[in-house]
């Protein structure tokens, strides 16, 4: 690994989020309602991010998040899912956020993070459905036992665009 | 010996020997699994003839799993397995056909239709393509970005979809469906709760006449029509932003 790259490399969990149906919602309810939805997402994420974690960047209606370690990443994302669902139920604003999570190595590029593991996290998010949280086998293997095994469902190996090998995915379920 | 030496065109023959899962993966190509094989043996057609008589990376055993993943390149695979085997299949592009009786089934297609008949339980997802389930004894958990979904009979359904018409018929237990657009029709036996959430799709729920549901509907716009007398037999949790809701008898 080149010295400059090694110096900029970090290890952690990258999470991509995306509001499913945002385009349809905006078309039906208008720009002001769409803006309110994004504000609600921003506020909830801001309240729940633990110390050390950060919003790397906003991607339209989606976010790229970074966490220093997998347990905190997963528990935060499960909390986010629950809060998004509660918000949707209370306000009828469909905050249906899908999420993809992958633990690996990233390279810093100014405030951004790049690299294969970042791309993989993005591809995993693409696989998720509305209000679904998916994680790679690598991430699953890095978790300690603080979250019960019955809160994961194995999806199996999935072949994703641009990723040469199949990635075994798991679904994380919110508390019953 | 785990798998036999093969001549060209001869199918790969695997002895299960305690394996409970068959996993088939192909980069691009159709995957078919038929549960008409002899006990304890799986045969797989479509593999490239092995080099020096052995499949090195393409066929391997990991614990209780037999994994068949032709490399390099893409192949269409057809497997014959004993009834009741658990099967996991994945293709980047190409259809998947699963003809049971099979056990727990997982199927993922980047693009391509997924058809499953006679499975114990099903986890299926495709980004673009139709999902058709003929008979799933337990829960069918389905994900589709763009494509129609038809379930003819299932114990329960959990569906996450973006666009495409959804038809769920003869569902014995719980239904949870979340779609962005595309209509959702549910014909259920009324034994368990039904939850349907959409942004712009219309929702139609059909229950036996003697079932009196508790309707919890929320809409921002759209009409609600309920032809069934309300009661406490089953809970219908229905949410739409702009779609219509209709509740009636089968």
């Amino acid at each position: 690994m080149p010295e400059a790259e090694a110096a900029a490399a970090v290890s952690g969990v990258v999470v991509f989020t995306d509001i499913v149906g945002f385009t349809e919602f905006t078309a039906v309810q208008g720009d002001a309602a769409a803006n309110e939805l994004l504000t609600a997402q921003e506020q909830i994420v801001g309240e729940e991010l633990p110390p050390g974690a950060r919003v790397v960047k906003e991607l339209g209606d989606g976010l790229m998040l970074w966490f220093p370690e997998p347990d905190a990443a997963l528990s935060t994302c499960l909390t986010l899912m629950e809060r998004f669902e509660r918000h949707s139920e209370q306000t009828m604003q469909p905050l249906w956020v899908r999420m993809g999570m992958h633990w690996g190595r990233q390279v810093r590029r100014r405030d951004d993070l790049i690299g294969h593991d970042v791309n993989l996290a993005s591809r995993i998010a693409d696989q998720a459905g509305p209000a679904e949280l998916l994680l790679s086998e690598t991430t699953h293997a890095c978790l300690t036992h603080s979250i019960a095994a019955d809160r994961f469902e194995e999806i199996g190996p999935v072949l994703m665009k641009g990723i040469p090998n199949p990635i075994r995915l798991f679904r994380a379920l919110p508390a019953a | 010996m785990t798998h036999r030496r093969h001549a060209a065109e001869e199918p790969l023959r695997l002895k299960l020997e305690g394996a409970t899962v068959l996993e088939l993966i192909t980069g691009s190509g159709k995957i078919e699994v038929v549960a008409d094989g002899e006990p304890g043996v799986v045969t797989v057609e479509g593999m490239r003839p092995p080099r020096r008589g052995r499949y090195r990376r393409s066929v391997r055993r990991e614990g209780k799993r037999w994994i068949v993943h032709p490399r390099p390149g893409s192949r269409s695979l057809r497997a014959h397995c004993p009834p009741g085997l658990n099967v996991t299949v994945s293709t980047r592009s190409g259809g998947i056909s699963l003809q049971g009786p099979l056990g727990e089934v997982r199927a993922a297609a980047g693009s391509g239709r997924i058809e499953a008949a006679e499975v114990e339980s099903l986890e299926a997802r495709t980004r673009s393509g139709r999902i058709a389930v003929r008979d799933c004894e337990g829960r069918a958990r389905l994900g589709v970005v763009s494509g129609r979904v038809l379930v003819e009979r299932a114990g329960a359904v959990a569906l996450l979809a973006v666009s495409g018409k959804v038809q769920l018929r003869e569902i014995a237990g719980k239904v949870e469906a979340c779609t962005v657009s595309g209509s959702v029709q549910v014909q259920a036996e009324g034994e368990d709760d039904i939850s349907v959430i959409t942004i712009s799709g219309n929702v139609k729920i059909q229950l036996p006449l003697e079932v009196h549901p508790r309707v919890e509907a929320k809409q921002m716009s759209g009409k609600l029509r309920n032809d069934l007398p309300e009661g406490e037999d089953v809970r219908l949790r229905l949410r739409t932003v702009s779609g219509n809701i209709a509740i009636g008898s089968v």
Side-chain angles (χ1 to χ4, degrees):
Chain A
M1 191 189 307
E3 199 174 316
E5 189 186 330
V10 291
S11 290
V13 179
V14 172
V15 177
F16 280 90
T17 76
D18 175 51
I19 302 178
V20 181
F22 184 74
T23 306
E24 286 80 356
F25 178 77
T26 307
V28 171
Q29 293 298 315
D31 296 346
N35 192 40
E36 275 180 34
L37 194 65
L38 290 181
T39 304
Q41 175 180 243
E42 189 179 25
Q43 188 180 338
I44 292 169
V45 171
E47 287 168 8
E48 296 297 340
L49 276 192
R54 69 182 176 104
V55 177
V56 178
K57 59 186 169 188
E58 293 185 13
L59 303 150
D61 56 304
L63 300 169
M64 177 181 166
L65 310 174
W66 184 85
F67 298 81
E69 55 93 20
D71 279 21
L74 183 62
S75 61
T76 303
C77 288
L78 286 169
T79 303
L80 288 176
M81 301 296 272
E82 287 164 15
R83 287 202 57 187
F84 291 153
E85 188 181 341
R86 213 180 314 143
H87 179 88
S88 302
E89 186 64 28
Q90 287 166 354
T91 64
M92 280 297 287
Q93 287 181 332
L95 201 43
W96 301 348
V97 179
R98 59 180 180 168
M99 296 187 187
M101 176 184 289
H102 178 59
W103 183 89
R105 197 178 67 90
Q106 305 91 32
V107 173
R108 279 204 201 97
R109 192 169 187 276
R110 291 184 280 278
D111 287 340
D112 201 357
L113 296 169
I114 61 160
H116 172 76
D117 287 325
V118 176
N119 299 340
L120 185 49
S122 171
R123 291 294 184 223
I124 293 170
D126 287 345
Q127 293 293 322
E132 190 175 39
L133 168 56
L134 299 181
L135 56 149
S136 62
E137 184 177 32
T138 314
T139 316
H140 185 258
C142 290
L143 295 166
T144 62
H145 300 294
S146 60
I147 295 169
D150 64 1
R151 289 181 66 182
F152 298 99
E153 289 178 344
E154 188 183 334
I155 287 174
V158 177
L159 290 152
M160 292 174 270
K161 191 179 169 188
I163 308 294
N165 292 316
I167 304 297
R168 202 170 292 277
L169 297 182
F170 291 81
R171 176 189 298 112
L173 304 169
Chain B
M1 196 172 89
T2 50
H3 55 82
R4 270 181 30 195
R5 184 183 173 125
H6 305 273
E9 306 299 323
E10 191 183 336
L12 166 69
R13 189 178 160 87
L14 303 170
K15 287 184 184 170
L16 286 174
E17 293 175 339
T20 55
V21 181
L22 170 67
E23 203 165 289
L24 299 173
I25 304 166
T26 185
S28 162
K30 188 176 178 182
I31 299 179
E32 287 180 81
V33 179
V34 187
D36 61 355
E38 59 184 285
V41 174
V42 170
T43 57
V44 183
E45 300 161 13
M47 297 289 287
R48 194 172 276 129
R51 287 182 184 176
R52 295 179 198 150
R54 286 193 68 80
Y55 291 96
R56 282 175 184 269
R57 296 167 59 224
S58 300
V59 181
R60 65 184 194 278
R61 175 83 183 253
E62 278 183 13
K64 299 267 184 189
R65 276 196 288 247
W66 264 120
I67 302 174
V68 179
H69 180 189
R71 288 187 257 197
S74 299
R75 312 286 295 179
S76 285
L77 303 175
R78 183 179 170 89
H80 298 269
C81 68
L85 189 67
N86 302 324
V87 172
T88 299
V89 296
S90 183
T91 174
R92 201 184 301 272
S93 67
I96 292 173
S97 168
L98 303 150
Q99 303 297 321
L102 292 167
E104 291 178 18
V105 171
R106 296 186 175 92
S111 64
R113 66 161 53 187
I114 298 175
E115 294 173 347
E118 269 195 272
V119 296
E120 242 174 65
S121 67
L122 177 66
E123 163 89 46
R125 58 179 58 225
T126 177
R127 287 190 59 75
S128 66
R130 181 181 170 183
I131 296 181
V133 181
R134 210 166 66 214
D135 190 351
C136 176
E137 195 184 320
R139 187 181 67 170
R141 186 149 199 153
L142 312 172
V144 59
V145 175
S146 161
R148 292 179 63 164
V149 174
L150 170 63
V151 178
E152 291 185 42
R153 189 176 163 275
V157 173
L159 168 82
L160 298 176
V162 176
S163 67
K165 186 177 177 180
V166 174
Q167 288 176 287
L168 311 176
R169 299 176 187 151
E170 287 189 52
I171 311 302
K174 197 170 185 173
V175 175
E176 295 169 287
C178 181
T179 78
V180 174
S181 60
S183 64
V184 180
Q185 293 178 23
V186 181
Q187 197 184 88
E189 292 173 15
E191 301 281 322
D192 210 330
D193 294 349
I194 295 172
S195 168
V196 180
I197 306 175
T198 87
I199 289 186
S200 58
N202 293 326
V203 178
K204 184 176 180 182
I205 309 289
Q206 289 178 291
L207 298 169
L209 195 57
E210 63 276 14
V211 175
H212 298 173
R214 175 153 57 97
V215 179
E216 297 174 6
K218 279 189 188 175
Q219 296 165 284
M220 286 182 91
S221 61
K223 293 173 187 165
L224 169 66
R225 178 183 168 156
N226 180 9
D227 292 335
L228 290 177
E230 289 216 36
E232 292 294 329
D233 292 341
V234 66
R235 178 177 173 233
L236 303 185
R237 180 174 171 266
L238 310 170
R239 306 281 184 269
T240 71
V241 174
S242 63
N244 298 320
I245 296 173
I247 303 162
S249 62
V250 175

